[in-house]
Amino acid sequence: MFLSAVALEARESICERIDSGAISAGEGYEELLGWIPDDLEALAELGRLRRLAGDLTAAEEYGWRAVMAHPCMAPAYMELARTLNCRPEARGLAEALCGIAVGLAGFDDAVLEKIEIDGGKHGEAEGYSDLSVPAKKRLVAMLLRCQDAGEAPGTERELRRLRLLAEMWSVGDLAPERVDAILAEGPEMIPLLVGVLRGWARELLGEEGDGAAENALGLIGELGSPAEIPVLCELVEMQDVNVSGAAKWAVGRIVERQPRESIAYFRQAIPGMDFSQRLLVCTQLLRDPELDADGSLLRLLSEGLDGWPQLEIDGFGVALSMAVAIRGGGRSAKCDSEVMHRLEGKLSPEVRRQSRALRDAVASGMPTPGCFAPMETSVYEICGGNAIWENDEVESEEVDEPVVPVAPVRRSAQPGRNDPCWCKSGKKYKKCHLEDDERARRGEAPPRLDAVIPGDLDGLRRRIGDFLAQVLPVRENRGMVAEFTGEGRDLAESETMALVDWLVHDYRAPKLGRSVIEEFLERNRGRLAKQEREMVAAWAKSCVSLWEVQEVTPGVGISVKNLLSGEAEFVHDVSLSAQLVRWDVMLMRVLPGERGMESTGSGIRVPRGAIDALRRWMGEEKERSGLSWTAYLKRDLPRIRRQPMVILEKQRKGLRLCNSDGDPLVIATARYGVLDEDLVRRALRKWRDLSEADGAGQYVWTSVQSTVLGQLRVKAGELVLECNSRERLERGKALLAEAAGKHLSHRGDSYAEAEEWKQRAAVAVEGPEGEQDELPPEIRDRVLAAYLEKHYDGWPDTKLPATMAKIGRAHV
């Protein structure tokens, strides 16, 4: 399912060789199939190449392979349809395949360009974008007709299965009758369902593929055999709880349906299994101890642990110990004893004691944990979107932290369990407000949150972070990131904290009409303690502003002044006290915290050369907007963050570098052939303003004021004159012609513009500065004009959490 690093490197290398012309496309893609037999690009391109060569049989074979390997990818269908369209008797089948492709992943104009509409043509079709309007209409009409007439014999069942799969993709949650229709196709659906998982694992399906993958796993559990367990094992440890939960369910369902075949598979597969896979087998034995009546699976599970990390051995050992205890001895008691003897020798002392205590507790009648009970979830619940998996919700990192129930506000009609929640959080009703609403119908009061512990706001921050993940789900990230960066680029890692800070405090999501923290306060106002409400309200009002450092208290924080409002604060932040010096300016958010006023840790330092220009620009933009400072700063924060670099770039482009004569700096060079080197040297010694530097043909041309005007060297039959402007070069050439022109032959001039010098000025990093009260402004401005700073993007150098929810909790 997932491609190995070696396969990915081979793919990249082969594609580079194809692009460079080192090998032909046909040779390269054939080689690629040797590494990745189901690669979509290779199969589709080889089909195209065979079709262009007139080998329609081979082209059709590649096309069907692509469709079966990637049944949710429109390009596979369209390339196969293009091949079939070359045969009049198969054009009905080509139209049917096009109809299936409509709406699948990757269906766009680039795909439409690859389908021929002229039945008389069998070669390259004209580009879709170049077709006339009537031709485009005919093409789209053909794609949507989906006529069955003319389909090749024997393809009806294939098309029916493909249509069922396309329907599963487009519908999302499946009604029971749709599930039954797919199950009625039997094991022949398995390759297509595995193809769905393949596309999901290789990130070809986009965000819409998550639901299709969960449905495919449920159907594989109901239709599959132990032959599919290796595929499922690749997915049981995925971070997506819906996919991992459905994969575990599918393994359990296959074992439940085909116990003998599953045991036979496990016996041959366990020696090669890793920690998570063996744990999965152990889970099956905990659900049904009778699966391993003779203890042979337990024996295999306890072997081959050498080389595992101790943490994995201990974790697996506890599960295996429970499996042994639940069996209760019997005719396999001797085997169980051998297993435990072998296992305990590998466990750490503390886990060994826990393992023994666990077995004693099970022997005394401790009930089996619910997660090991027989499965009750059905394939209809999974495909209908009603299965709730373990850890299905975003959880706090600390077990004791209370979960924030979302209050029912602005409620309209009662939604179904699987419908979008009425609060517009983007989550299904069952995973959002169902529990709260049922509690309200029973007349129960909503649970109150504990009051904030004085000096500890981490719990409140975590709850707001969880709420952020609920109301702004991951699938909406792309649009929010594009608005934040404003450049159509991906988010840099150093910008992640700033993005989350903006999403929580300033971004007004269209579906909310207010910021996330304002929405959190509105929904939970009745549940928050007075101190909590006041703190959240203060955070909601905060905005990023320009703060100038007045004093630094090392190891404690910084005294700052707001350059827009004039207010002064002391910011408790140890890292800032180590990073900044007096007169540094930060774009940052200052808000109340445990120690007083604090920074959210997502600010950026404004380069000194851009401070005044940024303040002027912000003032003009604020006046133009007609808003207050707070409203303007909240609305336009992404633009404000980008503006310092815009200013520096304009300064760089407008920077005019000149020499002492006022001439633009240019590296100007004149080259001459020397006819007689001795005569040239004698002539140069008579040049009044020229002095020989080292007696080896190196000369310096200076002015009366001792300003260096140029350099000259004579060596190996060549004379080179170099100056720092075009004007000085022309003067030097005239003097050179007067002094030794009859002994020289001019070969040519060259000029290197000073753009490189500007680039160096733009990226020069300003070193640490101390107090500069006595530095005259005119000297400061001259220095800053020559050495422009680069964007200060290295602070703070903080390792970021992996998920949006965790980032939000950590940095609200």
Side-chain angles (χ1 to χ4, degrees):
M1 304 300 296
F2 297 92
L3 298 179
S4 67
V6 174
L8 288 172
E9 289 177 4
R11 191 184 198 282
E12 183 177 357
S13 173
I14 291 169
C15 290
E16 287 178 354
R17 288 158 57 203
I18 293 174
D19 292 341
S20 66
I23 56 175
S24 68
E27 294 171 335
Y29 287 120
E30 287 286 5
E31 182 180 345
L32 181 54
L33 289 183
W35 286 93
I36 311 172
D38 45 34
D39 186 85
L40 174 60
E41 181 181 357
L43 291 171
E45 283 299 303
L46 285 170
R48 185 181 69 86
L49 293 172
R50 296 296 185 271
R51 174 175 53 78
L52 295 177
D55 189 354
L56 298 182
T57 301
E60 186 174 343
E61 180 183 347
Y62 280 116
W64 280 112
R65 284 175 60 185
V67 167
M68 298 302 290
H70 298 277
C72 288
M73 296 302 297
Y77 289 83
M78 300 300 283
E79 185 55 48
L80 175 58
R82 194 173 186 188
T83 296
L84 294 170
N85 202 48
C86 293
R87 294 192 286 109
E89 70 277 9
R91 285 183 184 141
L93 176 58
E95 291 182 6
L97 291 172
C98 289
I100 295 173
V102 174
L104 291 179
F107 186 83
D108 53 23
D109 279 2
V111 174
L112 291 173
E113 291 179 11
K114 295 184 177 181
I115 187 69
E116 296 174 1
I117 63 169
D118 184 353
K121 283 189 176 182
H122 304 305
E124 284 292 330
E126 296 180 33
Y128 175 76
S129 58
D130 297 330
L131 297 178
S132 64
V133 173
K136 287 183 179 180
K137 289 182 178 180
R138 291 199 302 272
L139 172 57
V140 174
M142 185 196 77
L143 294 176
L144 298 178
R145 278 200 304 268
C146 308
Q147 297 175 352
D148 291 336
E151 294 175 3
T155 61
E156 293 84 355
R157 294 196 63 189
E158 286 84 349
L159 285 175
R160 185 170 66 248
R161 290 195 291 271
L162 292 172
R163 285 181 177 130
L164 285 170
L165 198 69
E167 188 177 57
M168 182 183 82
W169 170 268
S170 61
V171 171
D173 296 337
L174 303 179
E177 57 270 19
R178 295 180 188 272
V179 176
D180 288 336
I182 296 175
L183 296 179
E185 296 296 319
E188 291 181 329
M189 283 295 296
I190 292 294
L192 295 176
L193 296 171
V194 172
V196 175
L197 300 180
R198 182 181 295 113
W200 181 86
R202 298 183 189 176
E203 301 181 349
L204 299 176
L205 304 184
E207 295 174 357
E208 295 180 359
D210 293 351
E214 185 179 2
N215 289 348
L217 287 164
L219 294 164
I220 288 174
E222 204 64 41
L223 291 173
S225 68
E228 280 70 61
I229 290 180
V231 171
L232 302 175
C233 284
E234 291 189 57
L235 302 174
V236 296
E237 291 301 311
M238 299 301 298
Q239 290 184 352
D240 188 309
V241 293
N242 293 322
V243 171
S244 63
K248 294 172 184 176
W249 180 91
V251 172
R253 181 60 179 145
I254 290 174
V255 172
E256 188 177 65
R257 290 175 38 248
Q258 301 182 19
R260 290 185 180 179
E261 295 84 350
S262 299
I263 291 171
Y265 166 76
F266 288 144
R267 282 175 180 159
Q268 59 87 21
I270 284 174
M273 286 184 171
D274 61 14
F275 165 76
S276 61
Q277 294 167 347
R278 292 198 186 200
L279 198 60
L280 184 63
V281 177
C282 202
T283 301
Q284 309 310 314
L285 299 184
L286 286 165
R287 281 205 178 100
D288 184 5
E290 294 302 318
L291 282 173
D292 190 24
D294 60 357
S296 59
L297 294 183
L298 285 172
R299 183 185 299 109
L300 288 169
L301 287 170
S302 66
E303 297 172 349
L305 306 184
D306 295 334
W308 281 25
Q310 188 62 47
L311 188 63
E312 291 187 355
I313 293 176
D314 287 345
F316 177 66
V318 172
L320 194 59
S321 297
M322 181 177 284
V324 171
I326 288 177
R327 287 162 49 79
R331 60 189 177 90
S332 62
K334 182 179 180 181
C335 173
D336 292 352
S337 178
E338 292 176 356
V339 167
M340 291 312 306
H341 177 75
R342 181 185 301 110
L343 180 64
E344 288 192 336
K346 299 181 181 299
L347 298 177
S348 61
E350 178 61 28
V351 174
R352 188 183 305 122
R353 287 192 293 272
Q354 293 175 2
S355 173
R356 291 173 180 173
L358 181 61
R359 293 203 306 277
D360 292 341
V362 171
S364 64
M366 181 188 77
T368 303
C371 59
F372 299 136
M375 295 186 302
E376 296 180 355
T377 304
S378 70
V379 66
Y380 299 103
E381 291 177 298
I382 296 173
C383 294
N386 295 317
I388 300 179
W389 308 108
E390 183 182 3
N391 298 324
D392 206 6
E393 299 291 342
V394 178
E395 296 182 354
S396 172
E397 294 182 59
E398 295 186 15
V399 177
D400 295 335
E401 186 61 40
V403 178
V404 180
V406 182
V409 296
R410 300 196 302 276
R411 179 181 173 179
S412 54
Q414 170 84 22
R417 282 175 53 85
N418 201 42
D419 292 336
C421 187
W422 50 262
C423 72
K424 303 186 186 304
S425 66
K427 302 185 69 176
K428 293 180 180 179
Y429 180 53
K430 67 181 182 183
K431 298 180 181 180
C432 193
H433 273 95
L434 175 60
E435 184 178 347
D436 282 348
D437 289 353
E438 289 180 347
R439 185 185 296 110
R441 282 193 292 271
R442 294 192 298 266
E444 300 175 6
R448 286 188 56 82
L449 301 174
D450 294 335
V452 173
I453 301 174
D456 181 9
L457 298 174
D458 286 345
L460 185 57
R461 293 188 182 99
R462 279 194 295 271
R463 297 199 292 273
I464 296 173
D466 288 338
F467 185 74
L468 169 65
Q470 292 176 19
V471 298
L472 295 182
V474 174
R475 63 175 175 270
E476 299 180 12
N477 280 2
R478 186 175 300 276
M480 294 183 292
V481 170
E483 182 174 345
F484 185 72
T485 62
E487 301 171 0
R489 60 174 173 84
D490 293 333
L491 189 73
E493 185 175 350
S494 60
E495 297 174 301
T496 306
M497 284 193 297
L499 171 67
V500 174
D501 181 72
W502 173 66
L503 291 177
V504 170
H505 298 94
D506 305 316
Y507 176 70
R508 302 179 75 86
K511 67 181 181 182
L512 299 178
R514 64 185 82 186
S515 68
V516 168
I517 198 167
E518 289 172 339
E519 186 74 9
F520 175 84
L521 181 61
E522 178 66 23
R523 295 190 189 185
N524 297 280
R525 190 179 297 276
R527 295 181 175 83
L528 296 173
K530 181 176 182 294
Q531 186 177 356
E532 286 181 310
R533 290 196 302 272
E534 292 174 351
M535 189 63 72
V536 174
W539 291 347
K541 292 177 182 177
S542 69
C543 61
V544 170
S545 190
L546 277 174
W547 296 89
E548 183 182 63
V549 178
Q550 306 295 303
E551 297 289 345
V552 176
T553 305
V556 181
I558 54 176
S559 296
V560 294
K561 176 184 177 181
N562 192 317
L563 295 181
L564 303 181
S565 67
E567 63 181 311
E569 297 285 358
F570 185 85
V571 177
H572 295 265
D573 194 308
V574 176
S575 64
L576 287 183
S577 72
Q579 297 279 345
L580 302 178
V581 297
R582 194 179 186 190
W583 309 132
D584 277 348
V585 172
M586 291 287 296
L587 261 174
M588 64 181 178
R589 188 185 309 275
V590 175
L591 39 64
E594 289 91 341
R595 298 166 295 177
M597 301 305 290
E598 300 176 350
S599 166
T600 57
S602 59
I604 57 172
R605 179 173 172 269
V606 179
R608 291 177 185 267
I611 294 172
D612 292 339
L614 178 62
R615 291 179 65 183
R616 288 194 300 271
W617 177 84
M618 291 172 65
E620 293 168 358
E621 290 294 305
K622 182 258 184 187
E623 291 300 320
R624 189 176 295 114
S625 70
L627 301 172
S628 65
W629 270 116
T630 299
Y632 162 69
L633 292 169
K634 280 182 167 291
R635 190 195 70 175
D636 282 9
L637 177 59
R639 290 182 62 224
I640 295 170
R641 284 178 57 90
R642 297 192 295 270
Q643 190 61 23
M645 293 307 298
V646 174
I647 292 171
L648 291 181
E649 180 62 18
K650 288 181 178 178
Q651 290 178 351
R652 184 191 70 79
K653 290 182 178 179
L655 187 63
R656 187 172 184 268
L657 301 179
C658 302
N659 59 22
S660 58
D661 294 335
D663 302 327
L665 286 178
V666 174
I667 302 174
T669 306
R671 297 182 181 276
Y672 295 85
V674 177
L675 304 179
D676 189 321
E677 190 167 316
D678 289 337
L679 292 177
V680 168
R681 287 176 181 268
R682 290 179 200 168
L684 293 178
R685 292 190 187 104
K686 299 177 182 179
W687 187 348
R688 184 181 60 183
D689 298 326
L690 195 69
S691 59
E692 192 166 4
D694 57 3
Q698 299 285 342
Y699 300 85
V700 177
W701 173 32
T702 59
S703 68
V704 176
Q705 293 80 17
S706 299
T707 300
V708 176
L709 302 177
Q711 296 180 338
L712 188 150
R713 65 178 181 272
V714 179
K715 187 177 181 180
E718 184 180 49
L719 183 148
V720 178
L721 172 63
E722 189 174 89
C723 303
N724 62 9
S725 71
R726 295 173 181 267
E727 292 77 8
R728 286 181 178 176
L729 184 70
E730 292 303 319
R731 287 169 54 195
K733 287 169 61 179
L735 292 172
L736 190 60
E738 181 181 342
K742 59 184 178 180
H743 307 301
L744 301 172
S745 62
H746 184 241
R747 292 178 176 175
D749 301 333
S750 62
Y751 305 93
E753 300 294 337
E755 186 64 25
E756 181 182 352
W757 299 1
K758 292 185 182 181
Q759 295 286 355
R760 291 177 181 175
V763 301
V765 180
E766 184 179 86
E769 296 183 25
E771 299 183 8
Q772 298 185 0
D773 301 53
E774 56 283 330
L775 185 63
E778 61 273 12
I779 297 179
R780 179 198 64 196
D781 292 342
R782 278 211 308 260
V783 173
L784 293 177
Y787 296 95
L788 302 177
E789 300 173 296
K790 74 173 181 178
H791 178 47
Y792 193 86
D793 62 354
W795 178 89
D797 188 13
T798 304
K799 184 176 181 181
L800 301 176
T803 65
M804 176 72 77
K806 290 183 180 178
I807 294 171
R809 291 196 295 267
H811 302 290
V812 171

